[in-house]
């Protein structure tokens, strides 16, 4: 039962990945390719059968991206309010989502759509997230900021086991999975360069800013896993009219079924031990 929420969140994440592709103008094959990429990525499969903080990170980062992308198309101010709720819940899981949120605000200010920053709904959403997070920050302050001490431990462990900053980008790409790393890089390039996606360019800059922050601060490679679904979706949209994408769209559903079978197999082989 403890693995069921993780499985459900992973399935919902695949759906959100497809929805992001649709909001970016992706047709059915792009949506299938985006969801399929989510379903077969090594990092998603690894997190998809365990209820741990990165499982929630990937889901909520993807949800936040979808809400923003949908707002760009619809200009529906109810969406930022839901974004505030999603951010508030994500901050209870881990403070890392704050890096993404700040990167998104900075990218919107630099690349647009700046109209978003003038909407009262966005600042109401920010207030919701801050108010919900204040109690945990107060607790941290009263106890000597144990989160900061834990960050130092994680940094030292990462340097010893995974190579630190030098290995950050290569390991992040490996976690995405090959050839999904090519799809992800294509998505980043298209977000930054493709005129049809100009209104969503902030997503590309936010991805770069978030990655740069964790690289400089010696974070772990999987911290950026929540960026992958949006980049896969953008890559799928840019490739949807190409033969390779058409072939991939026919292959992804069986791949997704394989992942579900593998996950179910893990649940059978690794039952929860009762104490």
């Amino acid at each position: 039962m403890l693995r069921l929420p993780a499985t459900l969140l992973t399935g919902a994440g695949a759906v959100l990945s497809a929805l992001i592709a649709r909001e970016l103008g992706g047709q059915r094959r792009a949506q299938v390719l985006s969801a399929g990429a989510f379903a077969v990525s090594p990092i998603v499969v690894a997190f998809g059968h365990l209820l741990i903080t990165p499982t929630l990170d990937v889901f909520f980062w993807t949800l936040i991206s979808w809400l923003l992308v949908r707002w760009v198309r619809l200009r529906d101010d109810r969406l930022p309010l839901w974004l505030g709720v999603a951010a508030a819940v994500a901050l209870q899981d881990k403070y890392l989502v704050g890096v993404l949120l700040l990167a998104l605000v900075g990218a919107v200010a630099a690349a647009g759509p700046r109209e978003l920053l003038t909407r009262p709904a966005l600042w109401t959403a920010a207030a919701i997230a801050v108010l919900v997070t204040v109690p945990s920050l107060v607790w941290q302050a009263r106890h000597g900021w144990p989160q900061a001490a834990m960050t130092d431990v994680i940094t030292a462990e990462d340097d010893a086991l995974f190579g630190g900053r030098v290995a950050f980008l290569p390991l992040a790409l490996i976690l995405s999975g090959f050839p999904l790393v090519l799809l992800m890089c294509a998505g980043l390039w298209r977000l930054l360069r493709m005129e049809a996606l100009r209104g969503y360019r902030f997503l590309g800059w936010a991805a770069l800013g978030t990655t740069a922050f964790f690289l400089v601060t010696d974070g772990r490679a999987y911290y950026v896993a929540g960026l992958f679904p949006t980049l896969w979706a953008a890559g799928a949209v840019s490739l949807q009219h190409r033969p390779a994408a058409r072939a991939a769209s026919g292959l992804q559903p069986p791949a997704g079924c394989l992942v579900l079978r593998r996950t179910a197999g893990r649940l059978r082989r690794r039952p929860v031990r009762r104490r």
Side-chain angles (χ1 to χ4, degrees):
M1 289 298 294
L2 292 178
R3 294 192 178 94
L4 181 60
T7 303
L8 294 176
L9 285 173
T10 301
V15 173
L16 286 172
S17 186
L19 291 175
I20 292 173
R22 186 173 71 174
E23 294 296 332
L24 294 175
Q27 299 172 359
R28 181 177 178 274
R29 61 172 58 97
Q31 297 170 34
V32 171
L33 179 57
S34 181
F38 190 100
V40 301
S41 172
I43 191 65
V44 174
V45 173
F47 293 157
H49 70 286
L50 294 172
L51 188 58
I52 52 180
T53 54
T55 309
L56 297 171
D57 285 341
V58 173
F59 170 77
F60 280 108
W61 287 37
T62 307
L63 175 60
I64 288 169
S65 297
W66 173 69
L67 289 169
L68 278 174
V69 169
R70 188 165 175 80
W71 181 89
V72 171
R73 185 173 68 86
L74 298 178
R75 296 300 200 268
D76 184 347
D77 284 346
R78 291 173 297 181
L79 295 169
L81 295 176
W82 284 112
L83 189 153
V85 174
V89 176
L91 285 164
Q92 300 308 300
D93 171 56
K94 197 182 293 182
Y95 294 141
L96 293 182
V97 72
V99 178
L100 172 66
L101 295 171
L102 291 175
L104 286 167
V105 170
V108 169
R114 296 182 182 90
E115 178 189 346
L116 175 61
L117 301 180
T118 67
R119 297 298 181 99
L122 178 68
W123 301 109
T124 302
I128 292 172
V130 170
L131 288 174
V132 172
T133 309
V134 163
S136 67
L137 293 176
V138 171
W139 186 93
Q140 289 282 333
R142 288 180 174 176
H143 292 80
W145 297 100
Q147 182 65 45
M150 186 62 187
T151 299
D152 294 337
V153 172
I154 291 174
T155 298
E157 184 180 72
D158 187 65
D159 290 342
L161 297 178
F162 304 109
R165 293 184 182 90
V166 175
F168 179 86
L169 285 177
L171 186 56
L173 295 176
I174 290 172
L175 292 176
S176 171
F178 186 84
L180 299 183
V181 64
L182 301 178
L183 184 66
M184 182 172 64
C185 291
L188 178 61
W189 175 257
R190 295 292 181 170
L191 282 172
L192 296 177
R193 303 293 298 177
M194 194 173 182
E195 190 62 29
L197 297 179
R198 185 179 184 86
Y200 307 97
R201 191 158 293 171
F202 70 95
L203 293 170
W205 290 116
L208 289 177
T210 303
T211 302
F213 176 87
F214 289 127
L215 175 61
V216 171
T217 58
D218 205 5
R220 290 189 169 177
Y222 69 80
Y223 287 176
V224 297
L227 302 171
F228 296 167
T230 301
L231 299 178
W232 289 329
V237 171
S238 68
L239 298 175
Q240 66 182 349
H241 298 298
R242 298 188 179 186
R246 288 195 291 269
S249 67
L251 293 174
Q252 293 301 338
C257 293
L258 176 60
V259 171
L260 292 176
R261 289 181 59 186
R262 290 173 60 186
T263 302
R266 288 191 182 97
L267 292 175
R268 290 195 301 269
R269 292 194 299 270
R270 298 171 61 183
V272 177
R273 296 180 180 177
R274 299 184 180 275
R275 296 180 182 274

